[in-house]
Structures are given as C-alpha cells and as structure tokens.
Amino acid sequence: DGLISFPLAIIGFFCVPGTPYKCYSIWLTDDEIRLARRRLKLANITPPSENPPNFLDKAVWKKVLSTWKVYVLTLLSIGCWNNSTTAGSGYILWLKSLKRYSIPEVNDLSIIAPLIGILLLIICCRGADAFRSRSGAIICFSIINFISTLILLIWDVSEAAKWFGFSILYSGWASASVIYSWCNDILRKDPQERAISFILLYSFSQSTSIWVTKLAWPTVDAPRYTVGYGVTLGFVFFLMLTTFITLYYYKREERKSARENGIVLYNSKTGDIPDEVQRYLNSKAEIS
C-alpha cells in the first residue's frame, strides 16, 4: 500500500490537468481548455482570484461562519461518513463464522460487495445527472442502504436475505460522489469560502467516523453487530433528514441568485411579465 503511492503520485503529477484557468495538461488542446472555461462561466462558478485573501483573514472566516452553508453541509458530510455498515467489516467476519470457506475462498467472496458497490456508485451518479436531481439520488440510495442495514440489524432472517443485505452494503457509499459534487456546487461562488468549508466539513465528519467506529463496531460483537447496525440505521435517517434540509436552503439560495444565473422568476398566471422576459419573447417573435 505504501509503495504503490509513489508511482501514483508521479502519474498524478503529469496527468492531473490543474484547473481550467491554470491548466498545464500535456494532452488537452487550447480549444478544450477554452471550452472548460466557458462551462465554468455558464455554471456561474467564480474562478480563483490572482491575489486571494489570507487564509486567516478575519473577514473571510466571518463570512464563512455567518452563513448556513458550512453548518448544514458539515452535518450532511457527517451523515455521509457514518451511514455505511462497511466500517465494522461484518461481511468478512460473517463469512468466516460460517466455517465452510477456506481463507482464499473468503478473500474471493469478499470482493462481491465492493464490485456491486462500484456498480451502485455508477448508477447513483448517472441517475443524479440523468434526472437532474442530486437530492433524489441520495434519497433513493439511502432507501437501498436502509433495506440492507435493516436486514442485518434484524439478523434472524434466511441466509439468502443476509447474502442480499451484505451484497448491497456499499450502497451507503454510493451517494458520496453526488453529495460532494452538490457541496461543491453550493459553494461555487466563492473559492476561498469553498476551500475553508471543505476543510471544516471533512475534518469534522472524518473525526466523527473514527470514534463512531470504535464505539459501535467492537470486534467482539462479530458477526452480529447489533449496536453497529442500529447506529448505522440512525445515521441513514440522519443523512436523509440533512438532505432535505440542504435541499431547502439550496433552493432558497438559488432563488435569491436566479438572475445571476440567467433565470428570471415570475408568476405567469398573473400576467405580470418582467420587461426582460417580454423583450426576449418579442425578439423570438421577430425572428420567427
């Protein structure tokens, strides 16, 4: 594990292209770089400034700590880091407890859950893009995760049901990419705020996962982790709750900045059409 990090670091140095505004890619063309910059502008993503404020600048921290984003997104991240039953390694210990598989066979069978997890991750990300709903993807896969965790919490079920529950246990991680892309979108307008907020939400969420794993998943409870699966089930509900809270604040924020995103909100039923909308409709009529 240690040795493989060195070639990966070297490969990453040459392959990671940087950012669209400071791109040093060895394979992207100038037109592709300009396309990437255009997409950032269309998405209303503020590029990093040439002279960013100091990390310890009081004004920056005041701005970060005075908005809802860092608090709500930290709670969302805590739910993300603690809603998976993979922390206890219950799947492998359950396979060993059956006393019918050799060590090589246990190693082979232990790959089933991660492989299905990769498939679930792809489906979750593609679904969020296809239906343009990150929150919907998170909730859907939280429901799948809920089913898996509930089966393992009950435990006194058929062996086939346990196989099913363990096979889809990585559904708890499937929405992680969607969650953090959503956080990145919410924090897109201020690069400094985004950097500080990500530091805070990662720090708090990862620190909670350390002590939750120690307290809820003691190895002596294996293979039936009643406390572990119960705590994880609570975090599944916590993630769904914080997803709805994040969606509420996200929509409220987007409505406030709709014009900045090139969107004009109005009530068409009242017939009160803003001037800019009327000019747009007139221009379309002239063209037709």
Side-chain angles (χ1 to χ4, degrees), residues 53-61 192 196:
N54 189 290
F55 179 78
L56 299 176
D57 191 312
K58 291 182 179 179
V60 174
W61 279 87
Q192 196 72 4
I196 293 175

Side-chain angles (χ1 to χ4, degrees), residues 125-151:
C125 293
R126 294 292 295 174
D129 288 343
F131 294 98
R132 297 181 178 272
S133 177
R134 296 187 182 100
S135 59
I138 297 170
I139 295 299
C140 285
F141 279 81
S142 292
I143 294 173
I144 297 174
N145 189 28
F146 170 81
I147 295 171
S148 169
T149 308
L150 183 62
I151 290 172

Side-chain angles (χ1 to χ4, degrees), residues 46-66:
T46 304
S49 60
E50 293 294 331
N51 298 303
N54 189 290
F55 179 78
L56 299 176
D57 191 312
K58 291 182 179 179
V60 174
W61 279 87
K62 183 178 179 181
K63 180 180 179 181
V64 171
L65 298 176
S66 61

Side-chain angles (χ1 to χ4, degrees), residues 180-199:
Y180 287 106
S181 68
W182 195 15
C183 293
N184 192 61
D185 181 29
I186 292 171
L187 297 165
R188 69 187 184 277
K189 295 179 183 177
D190 189 331
Q192 196 72 4
E193 180 188 14
R194 180 170 66 241
I196 293 175
S197 297
F198 265 103
I199 290 172

Side-chain angles (χ1 to χ4, degrees), residues 75-242:
L75 293 176
L76 184 69
S77 182
I78 289 173
C80 174
W81 275 84
N82 294 286
N83 87 116
S84 175
T85 57
T86 58
S89 301
Y91 176 43
I92 296 175
L93 295 176
W94 174 68
L95 289 174
K96 290 183 176 180
S97 72
L98 296 176
K99 300 185 184 303
R100 73 172 74 128
Y101 303 113
S102 64
I103 292 177
E105 288 175 327
V106 169
N107 290 335
D108 291 339
L109 292 172
S110 68
I111 301 175
I112 294 175
L115 286 177
I116 295 176
I118 293 173
L119 179 61
L120 293 173
L121 174 66
I122 295 172
I123 294 173
C124 184
C125 293
R126 294 292 295 174
D129 288 343
F131 294 98
R132 297 181 178 272
S133 177
R134 296 187 182 100
S135 59
I138 297 170
I139 295 299
C140 285
F141 279 81
S142 292
I143 294 173
I144 297 174
N145 189 28
F146 170 81
I147 295 171
S148 169
T149 308
L150 183 62
I151 290 172
L152 300 177
L153 176 62
I154 296 172
W155 195 257
D156 292 324
V157 294
S158 65
E159 186 173 317
K162 286 180 183 176
W163 272 109
F164 177 75
F166 279 119
S167 296
I168 61 172
L169 59 83
Y170 275 86
S171 55
W173 284 112
S175 59
S177 298
V178 176
I179 288 171
Y180 287 106
S181 68
W182 195 15
C183 293
N184 192 61
D185 181 29
I186 292 171
L187 297 165
R188 69 187 184 277
K189 295 179 183 177
D190 189 331
Q192 196 72 4
E193 180 188 14
R194 180 170 66 241
I196 293 175
S197 297
F198 265 103
I199 290 172
L200 293 176
L201 65 90
Y202 269 123
S203 299
F204 279 105
S205 56
Q206 290 188 39
S207 64
T208 60
S209 68
I210 293 172
W211 59 262
V212 167
T213 301
K214 292 292 184 183
L215 294 177
W217 298 93
T219 309
V220 292
D221 289 351
R224 182 176 183 175
Y225 288 98
T226 304
V227 175
Y229 295 127
V231 170
T232 302
L233 197 66
F235 274 108
V236 173
F237 281 110
F238 180 79
L239 178 61
M240 288 193 283
L241 176 63
T242 52

